[in-house]
Amino acid sequence: MTVISYRQALHDALREEMQRDADVLLIGEEIGRFEGSYKITAGMLEEFGPRRVRDTPIAEEGFTGAAIGAAMVGLRPVVEIMTINFSLLAIDQIVNHAAKIYGMFGGQARVPLVIRTPGGGGQQLGATHSQNIELYYAFVPGMKVVAPSTPADAKALMLAAIRDDDPVLVLENLALYNTTGEVPDVVEPAEIGRAAVVRTGSDITVIGYSRMAVIAREAAEVLAREGIDVEVIDLRSLRPLDRVTIVTSVKKTSCAVVLEDDWLTYGIGAEIAATISDGAFDWLDAPVRRVAMAEVPMPYAKSLEMAALPSLADAIGAIRATLDARARRA
Amino acid sequence: MNEPDLVQLLSPTGHRVDHPDYTPRIAHLDAEALRGMHRDMVLARRVDSEATSLQRQGELALYAQALGQEAAQVGSARALATQDYVFPSYREHAVAQVRGVDPVDILKLFRGVDHGGWDPAEHNVHLYTLVIGSHTLHATGYAMGIQRDGLVGTGDPSRDTAVVAYFGDGATAQGDTNEAFVFAAVNNAPIVLFCQNNQWAISEPTEKQSRVPIVERGRGFGVPSVRVDGNDVLACYAVTAEALERARSGGGPTFIEAYTYRMGAHTTSDDPTRYRSAAEEEHWRQRDPIDRLTALLEAEGELTAEYQEALAAEAEVLGERLRAEVRALEAPATSSMFDNVYATPHAVVDGERAWFAEYEASFLADGESATEGAGR
């Protein structure tokens, strides 16, 4: 075990796969000489050369589409989109092409493509640069979307994404890059589509992914001091969604709170709440609560942005409110 | 670094260069007009240096310098008529200044207290667009609207209107920008597509972005295209004046590649020493846009001591005001985040606004903990 940052874990996964498989290559804006806007690709150009580390012009649709073409003929391109916000400039290539080529070609062409891109607010980057829009891709059959919250998962899921024969979007998070955690010396690729019960508990299930899975663990620690026993599920994968782990947990605890960094209306949490309703309705003792960001474009001023984003306090408040609702019904 | 074939009216050493097509376009610029351009550039550079310092002091979240691009911006902006409309990218501080936007309002964006900062209608300057190239389409659509309103080709100089879209070399790779060229061309839209080729898209040099000179891209779309020395304020004025005249008279779009240099970093988050040489920076320092106009004014005896003293004093006053007013800019009230989500009332937003008001009031009432009322 070694303690490393989320950023380092992503870097290590990319580097190991580049060393292991000569078909893996990196494509994106500013990833070579500049070493990536968030330095995930530091040293890569030097080690692997310009044939495998490709700096591109500012044209997201262009380099994503070109990577799809490269994937179809057998390479394993890893595309960096500087932030998920700019994936909107490539959404036709992702949704209409990467996700559909395998099916529309009758299984004759695979698209083993990885799109790495960070989401997340809290960096004071304004409304167009601070969105959590992973839902747009998790919505689409043919896509896989994974969202690690820890360095260990960042590495294991990145390895899995690169080895996967379908297009996988790896959602990174600006607020997590500098977080640290233990990573085993040898990491096996994760199973994409499997959530993790990262803390077992008996009183309530709290479900999150990416930054909100970190918040979920923190909330559980705070409440444990008061004797509240929270079970925490880190989704890790948004598509496929591990409905079994969610439903199994809620059948045990009988109530649930979902934490999400995106907007509430039609958000990821709505799908989780529906999953619980479908699979564990008769076990529920209180309505499922969702904690999400304010239903506004991200404000720019730091104080407003912090108020708009869901916080640890919001999560704890929602857990207490849900437990109160259950107590009133008992 | 070979100098490409550029329209140039003022050499790097400040000597006038004769050009059969463009010299007549600056014939009416007297000493006062030249000093006006000089003043604009000097003040723009002062704002740039004050803003950079303010960022280093933690007063701005980020700043994107226009350093080195003053001639391209001031020259082109000075060719505009009042009714013309500008769509800037996010580095056109000197353009905005020439159009009368207060630099303090520009810095609201970089302090992170406002997504905008000025009233576009007051100055006919659109707010900055931060996603690369997107606004070239908005500008084209605006130009098509002007055309539809019959504000092109009337022959009345107070009515005929044109649009200028500013963007960089990096944006010319973007799909949106290429589609803007298509629409501008086929609709004969009254627009000037003004590219400041500052040689670097963050760390990506122009030669990694295009195999042909950027100016050739316009020609491929059937748009008349001209390449100008972007550090020559007179040439930038002349080519823009010609392009605007074409647009206003119904002659359609023009593409201008202003060949210039980003003397500073991409933004205050960037360190250009990682990817470009000191020799290159020095090469361009020898072509400083302000120095060459200063040299011209001096040679022509128009750089009077009186003018220089007044300008220095004006720059001091501006710098002092900027520092004081920017430091005093405060974040808006938290509840303002709900104000401009929709133009019409919306139940979800109204609900959240009401919840938030109640939440804030709970602190005032009895100092409840921050967890109260969470889980909206």
Side-chain angles (χ1 to χ4, degrees):
Chain A
M1 286 281 184
T2 318
V3 174
I4 62 171
S5 69
Y6 186 95
R7 179 195 319 275
Q8 185 69 40
L10 291 166
H11 170 87
D12 290 353
L14 290 178
R15 183 159 175 257
E16 285 174 23
E17 287 300 283
M18 292 278 279
Q19 287 169 338
R20 187 188 63 81
D21 182 351
D23 285 340
V24 178
L25 68 151
L26 311 179
I27 307 175
E29 294 160 358
E30 302 292 336
I31 64 166
R33 262 177 118 178
F34 197 69
E35 303 188 313
S37 280
Y38 298 99
K39 306 301 172 214
I40 308 299
T41 55
M44 296 287 195
L45 176 63
E46 200 179 335
E47 180 170 356
F48 298 104
R51 193 175 138 82
R52 295 181 66 198
V53 180
R54 306 292 292 258
D55 270 326
T56 72
I58 309 175
E60 287 80 5
E61 182 112 43
F63 63 74
T64 304
I68 291 169
M72 279 195 283
V73 295
L75 296 177
R76 291 190 172 272
V78 179
V79 170
E80 173 173 312
I81 296 183
M82 199 179 282
T83 75
I84 198 167
N85 306 280
F86 308 147
S87 74
L88 297 175
L89 291 148
I91 200 165
D92 175 65
Q93 287 294 343
I94 301 169
V95 172
N96 271 334
H97 304 287
K100 295 184 176 60
I101 281 171
Y102 182 68
M104 291 182 75
F105 282 36
Q108 297 180 90
R110 295 178 181 191
V111 185
L113 169 77
V114 174
I115 297 171
R116 297 181 34 240
T117 190
Q123 314 297 311
Q124 218 181 356
L125 297 173
T128 56
H129 286 50
S130 305
Q131 300 173 96
N132 294 288
I133 49 177
E134 53 277 10
L135 168 67
Y136 297 179
Y137 306 105
F139 182 60
V140 178
M143 283 302 295
K144 295 181 180 177
V145 178
V146 298
S149 73
T150 64
D153 272 357
K155 186 164 184 187
L157 285 165
M158 183 63 77
L159 294 177
I162 293 173
R163 296 186 198 183
D164 200 288
D165 277 346
D166 288 307
V168 183
L169 186 141
V170 180
L171 178 74
E172 302 171 3
N173 189 289
L174 299 178
L176 296 182
Y177 279 145
N178 289 334
T179 60
T180 56
E182 285 192 339
V183 175
D185 296 328
V186 178
V187 175
E188 293 299 322
E191 184 185 339
I192 292 178
R194 182 67 65 90
V197 177
V198 294
R199 185 183 194 285
T200 55
S202 55
D203 290 334
I204 186 167
T205 300
V206 176
I207 302 150
Y209 64 94
S210 193
R211 182 182 82 99
M212 296 314 284
V214 176
I215 297 275
R217 285 193 289 273
E218 290 172 1
E221 293 306 315
V222 170
L223 292 167
R225 287 178 225 137
E226 301 173 20
I228 298 171
D229 193 17
V230 177
E231 178 144 309
V232 177
I233 295 178
D234 182 347
L235 291 176
R236 302 164 84 232
S237 171
L238 302 177
R239 190 180 191 100
L241 179 63
D242 182 357
R243 297 182 199 271
V244 173
T245 296
I246 298 167
V247 168
T248 303
S249 174
V250 176
K251 281 181 176 175
K252 183 176 75 173
T253 62
S254 298
C255 58
V257 169
V258 187
L259 311 180
E260 56 191 320
D261 242 347
D262 62 350
W263 292 295
L264 187 94
T265 305
Y266 303 107
I268 301 278
E271 181 61 31
I272 308 301
T275 296
I276 294 169
S277 175
D278 287 344
F281 183 80
D282 290 334
W283 281 262
L284 277 179
D285 288 340
V288 177
R289 267 180 185 257
R290 292 172 289 156
V291 177
M293 77 164 279
E295 296 253 335
V296 300
M298 187 67 81
Y300 198 0
K302 192 82 177 169
S303 53
L304 274 66
E305 184 173 19
M306 288 300 133
L309 281 167
S311 66
L312 175 61
D314 292 334
I316 291 171
I319 294 167
R320 287 189 204 282
T322 302
L323 292 171
D324 287 350
R326 174 160 73 183
R328 282 198 299 274
R329 294 162 73 98
Chain B
M1 275 174 288
N2 293 326
E3 296 287 334
D5 188 25
L6 304 170
V7 175
Q8 190 180 72
L9 300 177
L10 189 57
S11 75
T13 49
H15 294 91
R16 287 186 187 265
V17 180
D18 199 42
H19 191 290
D21 299 329
Y22 293 106
T23 299
R25 296 232 169 236
I26 61 162
H28 66 287
L29 296 178
D30 59 12
E32 197 185 330
L34 296 185
R35 278 195 297 263
M37 289 176 163
H38 185 260
R39 170 185 168 275
D40 286 346
M41 292 200 286
V42 169
L43 295 181
R45 187 165 289 189
R46 180 59 180 253
V47 169
D48 232 51
S49 105
E50 293 287 347
T52 304
S53 300
L54 284 166
Q55 195 280 334
R56 294 299 182 226
Q57 293 160 18
E59 297 292 341
L60 299 179
L62 182 84
Y63 184 66
Q65 285 179 286
L67 186 67
Q69 298 175 220
E70 295 90 349
Q73 296 192 14
V74 168
S76 58
R78 282 215 159 221
L80 292 163
T82 311
Q83 70 272 21
D84 294 336
Y85 200 94
V86 171
F87 282 81
S89 177
Y90 51 74
R91 204 187 294 281
E92 280 66 48
H93 320 315
V95 174
Q97 260 179 268
V98 171
R99 297 292 281 178
V101 177
D102 186 341
V104 176
D105 287 339
I106 298 172
L107 294 180
K108 286 176 182 168
L109 178 78
F110 294 102
R111 187 161 166 90
V113 298
D114 200 321
H115 272 119
W118 64 88
D119 176 3
E122 190 184 335
H123 308 284
N124 280 10
V125 178
H126 198 67
L127 295 175
Y128 283 172
T129 297
L130 306 176
V131 180
I132 302 296
S134 307
H135 63 293
T136 56
L137 281 167
H138 311 155
T140 303
Y142 191 96
M144 289 162 66
I146 286 170
Q147 194 177 35
R148 193 170 177 277
D149 286 347
L151 295 173
V152 171
T154 69
D156 176 352
S158 69
R159 267 173 68 85
D160 286 342
T161 305
V163 173
V164 182
Y166 287 93
F167 52 94
D169 44 291
T172 64
Q174 196 62 277
D176 284 10
T177 306
N178 285 273
E179 291 177 29
F181 273 93
V182 170
F183 277 76
V186 299
N187 291 291
N188 210 39
I191 185 169
V192 178
L193 294 150
F194 194 101
C195 174
Q196 291 169 82
N197 175 2
N198 68 14
Q199 314 300 327
W200 290 96
I202 311 187
S203 75
E204 193 84 350
T206 311
E207 63 266 21
K208 289 268 188 72
Q209 306 170 52
S210 180
R211 285 293 296 270
V212 295
I214 299 272
V215 67
E216 294 295 339
R217 294 194 156 164
R219 295 182 181 133
F221 292 99
V223 175
S225 301
V226 58
R227 195 176 215 199
V228 63
D229 184 338
N231 286 9
D232 171 354
V233 70
L234 299 181
C236 288
Y237 174 89
V239 299
T240 310
E242 179 195 51
L244 288 167
E245 188 180 288
R246 180 179 297 132
R248 293 191 203 110
S249 64
T254 303
F255 178 44
I256 296 171
E257 180 195 354
Y259 196 84
T260 179
Y261 192 68
R262 192 192 77 206
M263 289 171 79
H266 167 66
T267 68
T268 44
S269 297
D270 173 34
D271 172 14
T273 62
R274 293 166 61 101
Y275 52 79
R276 68 188 192 190
S277 69
E280 176 186 312
E281 293 183 359
E282 183 53 34
H283 169 88
W284 282 95
R285 249 192 301 279
Q286 299 303 319
R287 282 152 188 78
D288 187 295
I290 298 181
D291 288 352
R292 72 174 79 177
L293 185 57
T294 305
L296 175 76
L297 286 169
E298 201 158 22
E300 295 185 352
E302 301 295 352
L303 197 70
T304 60
E306 187 187 8
Y307 163 75
Q308 291 191 80
E309 279 163 26
L311 180 60
E314 188 179 6
E316 283 305 310
V317 170
L318 175 64
E320 201 170 313
R321 180 174 72 83
L322 206 69
R323 293 190 295 273
E325 292 188 14
V326 166
R327 287 197 175 103
L329 290 173
E330 289 189 9
T334 309
S335 63
S336 71
M337 77 169 87
F338 301 107
D339 286 352
N340 295 310
V341 183
Y342 293 95
T344 52
H346 188 286
V348 170
V349 177
D350 291 347
E352 291 209 339
R353 188 204 311 272
W355 173 88
F356 189 78
E358 204 177 303
Y359 176 65
E360 283 206 315
S362 72
F363 293 101
L364 298 173
D366 51 24
E368 281 283 346
S369 78
T371 60
E372 186 70 19
R376 57 185 161 241

